[in-house]
Amino acid sequence: QILGHIPWNLATNTTLLALPLYVLMGEILLRSGITEGMYQALSKWLNRLPGTLLHTNIVASGMFACISGSSAATAATVGGVALPFLRAERYDDRIALGSLAAGGTLGILLPPSIVMIVYGVLAEESIGRLYLAGVVPGVLLMLGFMATIVVITLRHPDTTPPSQPTSWPDRWRGLVHLVPIAILVVLVLGTIYAGVATATEAAAFGVTGAIALAAAKGRVTAHMLSETFLATATTTAMIVMILIGAFLLQFIVSFLGLPSALSRWVVSLELSSLQVILIICALYIVLGMFMESLSIVVVTVPILVPMLQPLGVDLIWFGVIIVVLVELGLITPPVGMNLFILQGI
């Protein structure tokens, strides 16, 4: 009975309907050429900084993250657009690919994040509040990446070519390519924070906007839609199968009484909440070396949440910490998903 009930309850959860919708939006944007225009426009504004296009990689990843919700989609899309430019300008491969891999992780911290949706469902927390909590850490992470690029390029000037100055008229004209992204950010995040839509409904707004923008560019064809829907179905099926397996594992673990036993054991150690969080951080860093991000969250959160509640840990705050640690796992060998994606590109 359980093998039937759990997959059915998961697959009919309306909150999780946001997952395929955000994946679909990313696929449409990838095939419509909107991200390429965004990348070129940003490069004109950031080319005076030491590292030039490397900063464009980070900011473009952050902007695309605000409409895709997926690190894999962010790394694949921005990487696919950026690498030809970086190769043509003879950037050092190590720092170029490093900036794309790190920038791609922003896809699950800045809203709308797929991992935050899954965490919110598991921890029974507000997805809107989780989205809001991810904004400042996401921006700080972007600035940290950019500061790192400045330091590296100043110490090793040979890793990047000299910057090419761009006239102010060219910069202003380039802003036109950022308008579609701004429209989608307003459609997705604006409707959530204005109270007009839930996270799921906002994803539907985003898909509608993405199709309208792609149609305006004349990129919507039967072949394009066929490829888009097939890629979305493939990715969604993978995510849902991971979730079904993890929810079945969660039931078995709960049935055996492991979360409550673990919780009692931790309480008996009389550790402070900070000590417990630091131990969890170390655990996530190790898990990130071998497991996929969504799998880590789904397997561990149902065990950790009952343990953290008696310690008075804010689960919204804890959710952001988990997402940052999972991001680290995306670029940690031997199983760093973003590294595999960029290697494929």
Side-chain angles (χ1 to χ4, degrees), residues 110-295:
L110 290 166
S113 162
I114 288 174
V115 171
M116 280 188 175
I117 293 173
V118 174
Y119 174 83
V121 170
L122 291 168
E124 298 180 356
E125 289 291 341
S126 162
I127 292 167
R129 286 183 66 205
L130 281 164
Y131 280 178
L132 196 58
V135 173
V136 173
V139 172
L140 288 174
L141 206 55
M142 284 174 65
L143 294 173
F145 289 156
M146 292 172 75
T148 305
I149 288 168
V150 169
V151 172
I152 291 172
T153 51
L154 288 177
R155 289 181 62 185
H156 306 284
D158 55 324
T159 55
T160 58
S163 61
Q164 302 294 326
T166 306
S167 66
W168 280 101
D170 275 351
R171 288 180 176 180
W172 291 114
R173 279 194 295 269
L175 290 178
V176 173
H177 296 293
L178 299 182
V179 172
I181 301 296
I183 290 170
L184 288 176
V185 170
V186 170
L187 273 175
V188 176
L189 298 183
T191 51
I192 292 173
Y193 294 134
V196 175
T198 63
T200 306
E201 292 161 349
F205 276 122
V207 170
T208 308
I211 291 176
L213 291 167
K217 289 175 71 71
R219 297 293 182 93
V220 177
T221 63
H223 178 68
M224 177 265 204
L225 289 175
S226 173
E227 282 190 340
T228 300
F229 293 142
L230 190 60
T232 302
T234 305
T235 305
T236 303
M238 178 192 73
I239 293 172
V240 172
M241 287 305 292
I242 290 170
L243 288 174
I244 287 172
F247 270 81
L248 288 170
L249 177 63
Q250 174 195 342
F251 169 79
I252 294 164
V253 165
S254 300
F255 185 74
L256 294 172
L258 183 60
S260 55
L262 189 62
S263 180
R264 286 195 299 272
W265 176 67
V266 169
V267 170
S268 71
L269 293 175
E270 297 184 354
L271 298 173
S272 68
S273 54
L274 178 60
Q275 288 171 321
V276 173
I277 294 292
L278 291 174
I279 292 169
I280 291 170
C281 288
L283 171 68
Y284 267 75
I285 289 169
V286 174
L287 289 175
M289 296 178 184
F290 307 103
M291 289 177 68
E292 193 271 333
S293 58
L294 211 56
S295 309

